[in-house]
């Protein structure tokens, strides 16, 4: 995030941009500490403390992926069966899904 985006967020939340920068720094430090903890756990116990979830790949057209694109194979299969109907050799959209995450995945 650039300084301009920090300022935009700060303006929306009625805060100073320095507060936003400090919070981002704090999040990055916590993420580093979490990675260090996992590495130490793996060194001692030889496995990961939490099973990693396998997500489907993000579509190539997406330039800035985020959490909306984290979708497992099972969740995608549920999405297809819920919103699509088989019509001969292809699927036909029955209903447009509510929610941005579902709509993004149906659209690709």
């Amino acid at each position: 995030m650039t300084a301009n985006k920090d300022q935009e967020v700060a303006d929306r939340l009625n805060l100073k941009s320095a507060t936003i920068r400090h919070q981002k720094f704090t999040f990055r430090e916590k993420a580093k500490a979490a990675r260090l903890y996992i590495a130490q756990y793996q060194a001692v116990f030889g496995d990961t403390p939490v099973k990693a979830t396998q997500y489907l790949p993000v579509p190539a057209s997406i330039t800035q992926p985020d959490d909306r694109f984290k979708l497992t194979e099972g969740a995608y299969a549920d999405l297809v069966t819920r919103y699509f109907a088989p019509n001969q050799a292809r699927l036909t959209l029955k209903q447009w899904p509510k929610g941005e995450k579902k709509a993004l995945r149906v659209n690709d």
Side-chain angles (χ1 to χ4, degrees), residues 8 14 22 49 59 65 73 89-90 92:
E8 289 172 18
N14 199 23
H22 175 72
E73 285 186 31
R90 54 184 248 193
T92 305

Side-chain angles (χ1 to χ4, degrees), residues 11-53:
D11 291 344
R12 266 190 283 141
L13 298 174
N14 199 23
L15 298 169
K16 299 207 180 281
S17 62
T19 304
I20 303 301
R21 284 191 305 275
H22 175 72
Q23 193 62 47
K24 285 173 26 183
F25 172 79
T26 302
F27 287 147
R28 283 191 300 269
E29 291 300 309
K30 288 182 179 187
K32 285 181 198 176
R35 285 191 297 271
L36 176 63
Y37 171 78
I38 290 172
Q40 289 172 336
Y41 185 95
Q42 289 172 335
V44 172
F45 298 106
D47 61 352
T48 56
V50 178
K51 287 275 187 197
T53 303

